[in-house]
Each structure stands twice: as C-alpha cells, then as structure tokens.
Amino acid sequence: MQSAIRIVAASALLASAAASFAQSSAPEVPRNVLQLSASGSVEVQQDLLVLTLSTTKEGEDAAQVQAQLQQALDEALTQARGGASPQQMEVRTGDFGLQPRYGKDGRINGWQGRTQLVLSGRDFARITGTAAKIRSLAISQMAFDLSREARQKVETQAQTEAIEAFKARASELARGFGFSGYTLREVGVNSQEMSPGPRPRMMAMQAKGAAFDNAAPVPVEAGEAQVVVTVSGSVQLR
C-alpha cells in the first residue's frame, strides 16, 4: 500500500513538473509589433532596343519549307553579323519551327514554318539600319528595355529612398501609437521594373522586294522605365 502511494506521488510530481516545463517553454506572444512597407522609385530612359525580324514559309513538302526558312535565316545572319558589336548590337536567332497544315478532311495537306532573328543593343541607329538592309526577313516586333547597368545604377538610388521612407514611416507610426521609438525585427527588400509607356509594338510582316533595296530605317523612340524598390518588414515598438 505504501509502495502504491509512493508511485502515485511520484506520478503527480512528474505531471506537475511537465506542466511547469510546458508553461516555461511556451513561446512568448509578440506584443507591440508593427508591420509596414515603403517604396522608392526612379524613372530612367530605356537604353535597349530589341528588334525581332521574321518570316513564314509554307508548302507541301516539310523539307522544302525548312530549307526555305534556313536560307532566309542564313541570308539575314550574314547581313546582320557584319554590323554586330558587343552591347551596341547583338545578334541571335529566335524561334525556328515547322508545323503541319490540315485540310477540311483533317489530313495533313502541307507544312508551314516560321523563323526569327533578334537584333538588340544600345545603338538604335545601327540596329534599325541593319534591319533595313535585310531583305529575307521583315520586322515583326519592336520593344524597348533597360540594360543591367542602367538598372543597377538607379536601383541603388531607389533602394536608398525606400529605406529612408521605411524609417520615417516607422518613426511616425511609433509616435502616433505613443511610443518613443522602435527597433527592427525583420525586413525584406524587393525590386521591380515598370514600363508606364507604350507596350512593345507589333509590326505587319511585309514581303521585301526591289522596292525595299533602299528602305529607310524604321524610326524609333524609347520611353522611360520606372525602377521600384519596396522595403517591407516588422518593427518592435518601444
């Protein structure tokens, strides 16, 4: 009987200790923590032009269509490579593919394909001038972008603005809630590029012939991009 009493007492003691440990190890609920975010933005002139030239071919024989596309692309590459220059005008191939063409009976009655050549860089005049000389492909899309160097340059400025705005807002809110100040708990920084100007322009495909031997370069004008940096996180009011 005494042994049983000792076992019961020991069990009660262990249960009490476990409860006490659970209470002492329970995470403290954060109090007076404020979540907020602030942004900084800088507008900068877009300094990259991206011109996409393309052509489509179709016929009854897949190999023949592919050969026509390859010939058109080879001619364009030969012309474009002569004016290529790092960062000023870079040349790369785009989409190249064939797909079957179906008749009303659901059977394949031919093939059609498309190939692309992309000219991109900072020298707008060089790019448009080269595109005007290429006869085997026509401009199908024009777009502007921001170079990595230009983006990094203004991103630092936008980040500084965002941090200062975050600190100012945290101090203002702390005073508004009756606290003397704050300390940072956690913070995250995110950046993005926004283009408030016109979207990339699609241009109608045109068959180039003798009338295009002395074709003038397409006039282009870049817009501005907006680099936005957002700082968000939480602060401990004190």
Side-chain angles (χ1 to χ4, degrees):
M1 183 65 178
Q2 289 181 353
S3 176
I5 291 175
R6 283 196 296 269
I7 292 175
V8 172
S11 299
L13 180 61
L14 288 173
S16 176
S20 177
F21 177 77
Q23 290 178 358
S24 62
S25 62
E28 183 180 353
V29 179
R31 300 180 60 186
N32 303 326
V33 175
L34 183 65
Q35 301 281 345
L36 70 153
S37 65
S39 298
S41 64
V42 178
E43 290 188 355
V44 60
Q45 187 78 16
Q46 293 171 316
D47 62 342
L48 281 183
L49 171 63
V50 182
L51 275 187
T52 302
L53 298 92
S54 59
T55 189
T56 57
K57 302 291 183 181
E58 58 181 83
E60 295 181 358
D61 182 67
Q64 182 181 10
V65 173
Q66 180 172 321
Q68 292 175 348
L69 290 173
Q70 187 64 54
Q71 180 180 356
L73 182 59
D74 286 343
E75 291 178 7
L77 277 171
T78 300
Q79 184 70 56
R81 284 169 177 160
S85 176
Q87 297 187 353
Q88 302 308 307
M89 188 186 83
E90 298 183 352
V91 180
R92 64 179 175 85
T93 56
D95 294 340
F96 188 106
L98 292 175
Q99 60 183 18
R101 185 182 61 194
Y102 296 93
K104 294 182 179 179
D105 58 359
R107 296 182 179 181
I108 297 176
N109 63 4
W111 295 84
Q112 58 185 7
R114 179 181 177 87
T115 186
Q116 292 181 331
L117 180 68
V118 181
L119 309 179
S120 61
R122 299 177 180 176
D123 192 336
F124 293 6
R126 184 194 296 253
I127 293 171
T128 56
T130 300
K133 296 175 183 178
I134 295 175
R135 298 184 58 195
S136 60
L137 306 178
I139 298 175
S140 58
Q141 185 174 2
M142 178 191 303
F144 297 95
D145 204 350
L146 197 60
S147 67
R148 180 180 300 176
E149 294 79 9
R151 177 187 175 89
Q152 289 177 342
K153 183 177 180 180
V154 298
E155 193 173 63
T156 300
Q157 182 180 346
Q159 179 176 288
T160 299
E161 290 183 3
I163 292 173
E164 293 303 317
F166 183 94
K167 291 162 60 179
R169 182 161 175 76
S171 296
E172 179 184 352
L173 290 172
R175 290 193 301 268
F177 284 109
F179 292 86
S180 60
Y182 68 91
T183 55
L184 280 175
R185 287 177 58 89
E186 58 182 20
V187 66
V189 180
N190 178 59
S191 64
Q192 61 178 327
E193 180 184 332
M194 304 174 65
S195 300
R199 294 182 179 180
R201 289 189 288 173
M202 300 296 295
M203 307 184 72
M205 294 283 296
Q206 300 183 41
K208 290 189 174 184
F212 286 86
D213 285 347
N214 298 313
V218 175
V220 296
E221 184 177 354
E224 289 189 339
Q226 188 178 51
V227 176
V228 180
V229 175
T230 301
V231 176
S232 57
S234 62
V235 298
Q236 179 71 57
L237 301 178
R238 54 178 177 78

